[in-house]
Amino acid sequence: MIDQTILIESHNRCRSLGIEPDSLPVVRNRYTTDELNAQLDRYKEVLEIAYYVVDKFFAMVTDIPFNILITDNEGFILACEGDEIAVNRMRQLGVTEGVQMSEEMGTSSVHLSLKHRMPIHLEGKDHYHSVLHGLACGTAPFYSQETGLLLGTISFMTEVEYSYSYLLAMLCTVADSVERELLLRKHNTQLQILNQVLLDTNGFGVIVTDDKGIIMEMNERSLIILSFVRKQKSFRAGSSVMELEGIGPFFERALKHGQSYIGEEWSLRSQHATHTYMLDVVPVFDPEGRIIRVVGSLRDISEMKRHEEQLRNAEKLGVAGQLAVNIAHEIRNPMTTLKGMLQLSRSSIQPGHYKLMMTEVDRINAIVSEFMILGRPQADKFAVESCGALLQEVLGVLELQFAMNGIRIHADLAAELPVLGDRNQLKQVFFNVLKNALEALPFGGTIDITAEIREDVLRLRFRDNGIGMPAEVLGQLGQPFYSTRKDANGLGLMMVHKIMKSHGGSVDIHSEVNEGTTVVLTLPLVQA
């Protein structure tokens, strides 16, 4: 049933326009023959699809005399089909091809549907004109699913006695089917290409060319990426991909040799930063083996690169800090003895010499103190953070590495897992734990991440089905410079232990050879 507010407003509007309810509807606007033919040509595909879908859906209601109207987005009737008697009756009332169903013609489901962008059903006295009180009408708008723009409406008209509630629902289904079919017809080839892209790459920016390297499609993300290059001219559909600096040669080789290029790194320097992208270029073949398209995808891995660099710097700083602390301790002990002996011998040393020596000793101690500070962690910046959100950020950074190594992630996390901590340090903990799990799965596998809350404590469990570790190795984990890998220094896990300790948490590691490893991080939850 129509919203009475809409109906009352429409009837009041008709009265304000001076329309007599006992008169026949008066046509105010209509297309000329040329205008109608031009619009029919523009809507040719829409009408073809609409006729097909309407025939399918309304085949089951052949015992109901009704007619179907199809209008454009301004309410001009483009087609009027259906029961011959019903159609002729509508034509006698002026409802025919080329006529605009405007508000000047009185209350109509077409005008109200276009105005309110919703399905409308009018029955009997819902119509303003008394001559229409014996009719029931329903209208459903349909849109372009690609752009969201209103394309037109589909309506039915029948006698009140044949008005059933399911007719409007069927009409809405018809409109939905028309929308989907329009999109399918327009993008059938593009969808096939994008399906292959989704199978072969996780890239976000997509560039599609024909067999000669002419760009056919560029999504919004690729346009944003290319906009970072100041030297690059404006590219769009119809341009040659060969002119794209850094990317063009890969497309050229793919077209020439029919080879795919996966995981190529490409760096762009913008005004403010350097962006690194992972480039995949994949040729698409027809059944005869001929190249018909080339699809390039770009994924921004800048954050991952920055994180890797931060990790390398952190490890370097850890090594330097540990070395500095060791050296400082070795220097401070004899310096303490030296200072004490100078103070005891003060009476036998010339005052000027004594003052100079003590000044130099104090300066050496100050330098040693600076070495000691280098080995200590920076001041913590604690705030309420969501562990789930932080972990998702880290998973996003490592997503590509997991995919390339054939590793599946199963994360079962609550939306909010509030803890008090330093977000960067917590992310570092998650990164190190996941990085270790990744390296324990050289031939692929799974990593399960679960969260468990007991009383006021959060337990994050990271379990992989990798190669595992024997008990003797497990006992030495976390010690400085101890690692099972030749290219590592063992500081990553040591950092995890230190950060967790500073957050009032703990780290527990369980592992069995050929069974996998489980790391449990325990953190206190924030009190509500």
Side-chain angles (χ1 to χ4, degrees):
M1 181 178 293
I2 186 172
D3 186 334
Q4 290 301 307
T5 303
I6 294 176
L7 195 60
I8 293 171
E9 179 188 4
S10 177
H11 285 189
N12 289 338
R13 178 62 178 164
C14 290
R15 282 188 282 271
S16 69
L17 291 173
I19 301 175
E20 291 294 332
D22 294 328
S23 65
L24 291 176
V26 178
V27 176
R28 301 294 184 184
N29 299 305
R30 69 166 66 236
Y31 280 142
T32 64
T33 301
D34 290 341
E35 289 172 337
L36 178 59
N37 289 334
Q39 194 72 328
L40 287 173
D41 187 59
R42 282 191 287 269
Y43 275 75
K44 181 179 179 181
E45 189 173 38
V46 173
L47 294 172
E48 178 185 337
I49 294 171
Y51 288 146
Y52 174 79
V53 176
V54 166
D55 288 343
K56 289 289 185 181
F57 275 85
F58 286 94
M60 64 184 72
V61 290
T62 53
D63 57 330
I64 299 178
F66 65 88
N67 62 311
I68 298 294
L69 297 181
I70 301 172
T71 76
D72 60 16
N73 59 346
E74 294 182 356
F76 286 93
I77 299 173
L78 301 179
C80 183
E81 302 287 342
D83 180 80
E84 184 176 353
I85 296 176
V87 171
N88 287 336
R89 182 177 178 182
M90 288 300 98
R91 293 188 192 281
Q92 291 172 4
L93 295 173
V95 180
T96 187
E97 289 87 346
V99 169
Q100 184 183 33
M101 300 297 291
S102 62
E103 65 178 350
E104 288 83 359
M105 287 188 68
T107 300
S108 71
S109 60
V110 172
H111 171 69
L112 293 178
S113 180
L114 288 170
K115 180 179 179 180
H116 297 284
R117 299 294 197 268
M118 61 185 293
I120 294 291
H121 178 76
L122 299 180
E123 186 173 317
K125 293 184 179 180
D126 291 341
H127 296 94
Y128 183 74
H129 289 93
S130 57
V131 71
L132 302 177
H133 286 176
L135 298 178
C137 306
T139 301
F142 61 91
Y143 302 82
S144 166
Q145 290 190 355
E146 185 179 34
T147 64
L149 295 176
L150 178 64
L151 296 179
T153 69
I154 302 178
S155 306
F156 73 83
M157 293 185 180
T158 187
E159 303 288 341
V160 169
E161 61 185 289
Y162 297 109
S163 177
Y164 300 107
S165 58
Y166 64 81
L167 289 178
L168 185 63
M170 291 180 66
L171 195 67
C172 291
T173 304
V174 168
D176 290 340
S177 299
V178 170
E179 291 175 2
R180 289 194 298 271
E181 185 63 24
L182 281 170
L183 187 66
L184 284 173
R185 289 197 180 190
K186 185 174 182 179
H187 292 291
N188 186 48
T189 301
Q190 289 87 340
L191 285 175
Q192 292 177 358
I193 294 170
L194 291 177
N195 283 336
Q196 182 170 346
V197 170
L198 291 173
L199 290 173
D200 295 339
T201 181
N202 290 322
F204 292 127
V206 178
I207 303 173
V208 182
T209 78
D210 62 11
D211 60 337
K212 295 180 175 57
I214 302 301
I215 298 173
M216 300 181 64
E217 294 285 343
M218 296 179 71
N219 68 356
E220 187 67 24
R221 181 60 180 160
S222 65
L223 292 172
I224 292 173
I225 291 172
L226 293 176
S227 69
F228 289 141
V229 188
R230 285 179 293 179
K231 295 181 181 179
Q232 208 76 271
K233 71 176 185 180
S234 178
F235 278 89
R236 58 180 64 88
S239 304
S240 173
V241 75
M242 310 303 181
E243 299 177 19
L244 284 172
E245 182 182 349
I247 297 178
F250 291 101
F251 278 83
E252 186 176 6
R253 290 198 291 270
L255 285 166
K256 185 176 181 180
H257 305 293
Q259 295 180 347
S260 298
Y261 296 89
I262 307 296
E264 302 289 339
E265 287 193 12
W266 182 50
S267 295
L268 292 176
R269 182 177 295 277
S270 67
Q271 295 180 353
H272 306 290
T274 297
H275 301 268
T276 304
Y277 299 92
M278 189 72 75
L279 171 66
D280 298 333
V281 179
V282 181
V284 181
F285 302 88
D286 65 10
E288 285 74 37
R290 294 171 299 196
I291 295 177
I292 56 173
R293 300 284 188 275
V294 177
V295 181
S297 61
L298 289 163
R299 177 186 175 86
D300 193 340
I301 59 171
S302 305
E303 184 65 24
M304 184 188 75
K305 286 292 185 181
R306 283 192 289 269
H307 205 103
E308 287 179 349
E309 183 64 26
Q310 290 173 1
L311 181 60
R312 283 193 293 269
N313 291 337
E315 289 187 344
K316 291 176 182 177
L317 183 60
V319 173
Q322 187 67 36
L323 183 62
V325 169
N326 292 337
I327 293 174
H329 275 298
E330 294 300 322
I331 295 175
R332 176 166 284 182
N333 290 336
M335 289 305 298
T336 301
T337 303
L338 178 60
K339 186 174 182 179
M341 294 302 297
L342 282 173
Q343 290 173 333
L344 289 174
S345 306
R346 180 175 183 177
S347 59
S348 59
I349 301 174
Q350 293 185 12
H353 293 168
Y354 175 81
K355 183 177 180 181
L356 177 61
M357 286 188 287
M358 288 299 292
T359 298
E360 291 302 311
V361 168
D362 289 337
R363 191 165 72 89
I364 293 173
N365 277 328
I367 294 173
V368 169
S369 296
E370 291 178 0
F371 274 113
M372 294 291 287
I373 292 172
L374 180 63
R376 296 170 185 163
Q378 296 180 352
D380 300 325
K381 298 178 181 178
F382 279 29
V384 176
E385 302 287 352
S386 169
C387 267
L390 296 179
L391 187 52
Q392 289 297 341
E393 290 181 26
V394 176
L395 287 173
V397 171
L398 293 171
E399 178 184 359
L400 184 61
Q401 291 189 45
F402 287 137
M404 293 176 64
N405 286 274
I407 298 172
R408 297 180 301 278
I409 302 294
H410 300 147
D412 184 11
L413 302 170
E416 292 295 333
L417 298 171
V419 297
L420 187 65
D422 185 309
R423 65 180 289 108
N424 291 324
Q425 291 187 14
L426 290 174
K427 285 172 67 175
Q428 187 71 59
V429 167
F430 300 151
F431 186 92
N432 288 356
V433 171
L434 288 169
K435 189 78 169 170
N436 287 341
L438 185 151
E439 290 162 355
L441 297 166
F443 307 108
T446 60
I447 299 175
D448 296 307
I449 307 172
T450 58
E452 178 185 16
I453 297 176
R454 288 186 180 178
E455 296 178 351
D456 297 326
V457 175
L458 168 65
R459 288 185 175 85
L460 289 173
R461 193 181 307 273
F462 301 75
R463 185 184 184 282
D464 66 65
N465 61 347
I467 56 179
M469 294 174 287
E472 57 268 26
V473 172
L474 196 60
Q476 299 184 68
L477 291 180
Q479 296 181 10
F481 304 104
Y482 178 82
S483 176
T484 57
R485 294 183 292 115
K486 294 181 180 180
D487 58 342
N489 53 36
L491 294 177
L493 197 52
M494 181 187 73
M495 190 182 304
V496 169
H497 280 278
K498 285 189 174 183
I499 293 174
M500 291 300 293
K501 184 177 180 181
S502 69
H503 284 69
S506 62
V507 183
D508 295 299
I509 303 175
H510 310 277
S511 185
E512 293 185 22
V513 177
N514 298 325
E515 292 292 331
T517 300
T518 300
V519 178
V520 181
L521 303 178
T522 303
L523 286 164
L525 283 172
V526 173
Q527 298 296 325

